[in-house]
Short mmCIF file of all heavy atoms in Angstrom, two decimals:
data_model
loop_
_atom_site.label_atom_id
_atom_site.label_comp_id
_atom_site.label_asym_id
_atom_site.label_seq_id
_atom_site.Cartn_x
_atom_site.Cartn_y
_atom_site.Cartn_z
N HIS A 150 173.64 51.74 51.49
CA HIS A 150 174.90 51.20 52.01
C HIS A 150 175.89 50.93 50.87
O HIS A 150 175.49 50.57 49.76
CB HIS A 150 174.67 49.93 52.79
CG HIS A 150 173.80 50.15 54.00
ND1 HIS A 150 174.31 50.61 55.18
CD2 HIS A 150 172.47 50.01 54.17
CE1 HIS A 150 173.31 50.74 56.05
NE2 HIS A 150 172.19 50.39 55.45
N SER A 154 180.56 49.50 54.46
CA SER A 154 179.99 48.66 55.51
C SER A 154 179.59 47.33 54.90
O SER A 154 180.48 46.54 54.52
CB SER A 154 178.85 49.35 56.27
OG SER A 154 177.76 49.68 55.43
N ALA A 161 181.11 55.34 44.91
CA ALA A 161 180.88 55.96 43.60
C ALA A 161 179.97 55.12 42.72
O ALA A 161 179.10 55.64 42.01
CB ALA A 161 182.20 56.19 42.89
N LEU A 186 181.81 58.75 52.56
CA LEU A 186 181.08 59.98 52.21
C LEU A 186 181.78 60.86 51.21
O LEU A 186 181.16 61.45 50.33
CB LEU A 186 180.73 60.74 53.48
CG LEU A 186 179.80 60.02 54.48
CD1 LEU A 186 179.50 60.91 55.66
CD2 LEU A 186 178.49 59.61 53.80
N VAL A 201 173.16 63.61 50.53
CA VAL A 201 172.97 63.86 51.95
C VAL A 201 173.96 62.97 52.72
O VAL A 201 173.88 61.74 52.66
CB VAL A 201 171.53 63.50 52.40
CG1 VAL A 201 171.36 63.72 53.90
CG2 VAL A 201 170.49 64.33 51.62
N GLY A 212 165.72 47.98 75.68
CA GLY A 212 166.20 46.61 75.70
C GLY A 212 166.34 45.97 74.36
O GLY A 212 166.50 44.74 74.25
N PHE A 245 185.98 38.75 65.98
CA PHE A 245 187.01 37.75 66.24
C PHE A 245 186.61 36.81 67.37
O PHE A 245 187.01 35.63 67.39
CB PHE A 245 188.35 38.43 66.51
CG PHE A 245 188.99 38.98 65.26
CD1 PHE A 245 188.97 40.34 64.97
CD2 PHE A 245 189.58 38.11 64.34
CE1 PHE A 245 189.52 40.83 63.80
CE2 PHE A 245 190.15 38.60 63.16
CZ PHE A 245 190.13 39.98 62.90
N GLU A 249 186.50 32.68 67.04
CA GLU A 249 187.01 31.76 68.06
C GLU A 249 185.94 30.80 68.53
O GLU A 249 186.18 29.64 68.77
CB GLU A 249 187.59 32.55 69.24
CG GLU A 249 188.89 33.26 68.92
CD GLU A 249 189.96 32.32 68.41
OE1 GLU A 249 190.10 31.20 68.96
OE2 GLU A 249 190.65 32.67 67.43
N ARG A 252 185.51 28.17 65.90
CA ARG A 252 186.62 27.21 65.95
C ARG A 252 186.43 26.20 67.11
O ARG A 252 186.67 25.03 66.92
CB ARG A 252 187.94 27.96 66.13
CG ARG A 252 188.39 28.72 64.87
CD ARG A 252 189.58 29.60 65.18
NE ARG A 252 190.07 30.28 64.00
CZ ARG A 252 190.91 31.32 64.01
NH1 ARG A 252 191.36 31.77 65.19
NH2 ARG A 252 191.30 31.88 62.89
N ASP A 261 193.09 34.87 58.23
CA ASP A 261 194.31 35.46 57.63
C ASP A 261 193.98 36.53 56.59
O ASP A 261 194.74 37.47 56.40
CB ASP A 261 195.18 34.39 57.00
CG ASP A 261 195.76 33.43 58.03
OD1 ASP A 261 195.76 33.81 59.22
OD2 ASP A 261 196.21 32.34 57.64
N GLY A 266 189.44 48.11 56.86
CA GLY A 266 188.53 49.09 56.25
C GLY A 266 187.20 48.52 55.82
O GLY A 266 186.46 49.16 55.08
N LEU A 274 181.34 37.75 57.93
CA LEU A 274 181.68 36.41 58.43
C LEU A 274 180.93 35.32 57.65
O LEU A 274 181.51 34.26 57.34
CB LEU A 274 181.34 36.32 59.91
CG LEU A 274 181.78 35.07 60.68
CD1 LEU A 274 183.24 34.77 60.47
CD2 LEU A 274 181.46 35.24 62.18
N GLY A 301 177.83 30.21 66.50
CA GLY A 301 178.77 31.30 66.31
C GLY A 301 178.27 32.66 66.74
O GLY A 301 178.98 33.66 66.59
N ILE A 308 175.88 50.46 72.47
CA ILE A 308 175.89 51.76 73.14
C ILE A 308 174.44 52.20 73.34
O ILE A 308 173.54 51.82 72.59
CB ILE A 308 176.66 52.82 72.34
CG1 ILE A 308 175.97 53.10 71.00
CG2 ILE A 308 178.11 52.38 72.11
CD1 ILE A 308 176.49 54.32 70.27
N ILE A 317 175.02 62.53 66.88
CA ILE A 317 174.46 62.95 65.59
C ILE A 317 174.07 64.43 65.65
O ILE A 317 174.37 65.21 64.73
CB ILE A 317 173.27 62.07 65.20
CG1 ILE A 317 173.74 60.67 64.81
CG2 ILE A 317 172.43 62.70 64.08
CD1 ILE A 317 172.64 59.64 64.74
N ALA A 319 175.20 66.73 67.70
CA ALA A 319 176.42 67.53 67.84
C ALA A 319 177.07 67.76 66.47
O ALA A 319 177.72 68.78 66.26
CB ALA A 319 177.40 66.86 68.80
N CYS A 352 159.63 56.03 58.34
CA CYS A 352 158.31 55.44 58.14
C CYS A 352 158.27 54.58 56.88
O CYS A 352 157.62 53.53 56.84
CB CYS A 352 157.26 56.52 58.10
SG CYS A 352 157.19 57.56 59.57
N ARG A 370 153.41 62.11 63.52
CA ARG A 370 152.58 63.31 63.66
C ARG A 370 152.22 63.53 65.15
O ARG A 370 152.29 64.64 65.66
CB ARG A 370 151.29 63.15 62.87
CG ARG A 370 151.49 62.95 61.37
CD ARG A 370 151.75 64.28 60.65
NE ARG A 370 151.79 64.05 59.22
CZ ARG A 370 152.91 63.95 58.52
NH1 ARG A 370 154.10 64.05 59.10
NH2 ARG A 370 152.87 63.76 57.20
N LYS A 371 151.84 62.45 65.82
CA LYS A 371 151.44 62.55 67.22
C LYS A 371 152.59 63.07 68.09
O LYS A 371 152.36 63.86 68.99
CB LYS A 371 150.99 61.16 67.71
CG LYS A 371 150.64 61.11 69.17
CD LYS A 371 150.22 59.67 69.56
CE LYS A 371 149.91 59.59 71.06
NZ LYS A 371 149.52 58.19 71.44
N PHE A 382 169.09 50.09 50.50
CA PHE A 382 169.78 49.32 49.40
C PHE A 382 171.14 48.85 49.88
O PHE A 382 171.94 49.63 50.35
CB PHE A 382 169.90 50.21 48.16
CG PHE A 382 170.56 49.55 46.99
CD1 PHE A 382 169.91 48.59 46.23
CD2 PHE A 382 171.85 49.91 46.60
CE1 PHE A 382 170.50 47.98 45.15
CE2 PHE A 382 172.46 49.31 45.51
CZ PHE A 382 171.79 48.36 44.76
N HIS A 383 171.40 47.53 49.65
CA HIS A 383 172.71 46.95 49.94
C HIS A 383 173.42 46.43 48.70
O HIS A 383 174.64 46.23 48.73
CB HIS A 383 172.55 45.81 50.94
CG HIS A 383 172.29 46.21 52.33
ND1 HIS A 383 171.10 46.76 52.75
CD2 HIS A 383 173.09 46.19 53.45
CE1 HIS A 383 171.16 47.02 54.05
NE2 HIS A 383 172.33 46.70 54.49
N ARG A 389 166.10 43.71 49.03
CA ARG A 389 165.58 45.06 48.96
C ARG A 389 165.94 45.79 47.68
O ARG A 389 165.50 46.93 47.44
CB ARG A 389 166.07 45.88 50.17
CG ARG A 389 165.56 45.38 51.49
CD ARG A 389 166.24 46.07 52.68
NE ARG A 389 165.82 45.46 53.95
CZ ARG A 389 166.57 45.44 55.03
NH1 ARG A 389 167.77 46.02 55.02
NH2 ARG A 389 166.13 44.87 56.13
N GLY A 394 164.98 53.11 44.08
CA GLY A 394 164.36 53.89 43.01
C GLY A 394 162.85 53.89 43.13
O GLY A 394 162.16 54.47 42.30
N PHE A 403 160.80 65.80 53.28
CA PHE A 403 162.24 66.07 53.17
C PHE A 403 162.50 67.57 53.34
O PHE A 403 163.52 67.96 53.91
CB PHE A 403 162.74 65.61 51.81
CG PHE A 403 164.23 65.78 51.62
CD1 PHE A 403 165.13 65.23 52.52
CD2 PHE A 403 164.72 66.51 50.53
CE1 PHE A 403 166.50 65.41 52.35
CE2 PHE A 403 166.08 66.67 50.37
CZ PHE A 403 166.98 66.12 51.28
N ILE A 410 167.66 70.44 59.74
CA ILE A 410 169.12 70.33 59.65
C ILE A 410 169.72 71.72 59.60
O ILE A 410 170.73 72.02 60.27
CB ILE A 410 169.51 69.50 58.44
CG1 ILE A 410 169.11 68.01 58.63
CG2 ILE A 410 171.03 69.61 58.19
CD1 ILE A 410 169.23 67.17 57.38
#
Side-chain angles (χ1 to χ4, degrees):
H150 298 278
S154 62
L186 296 182
V201 178
F245 285 103
E249 289 304 318
R252 288 172 177 165
D261 294 343
L274 187 51
I308 65 168
I317 288 167
C352 302
R370 300 279 187 260
K371 176 181 178 180
F382 180 74
H383 285 71
R389 295 171 186 152
F403 184 56
I410 293 169

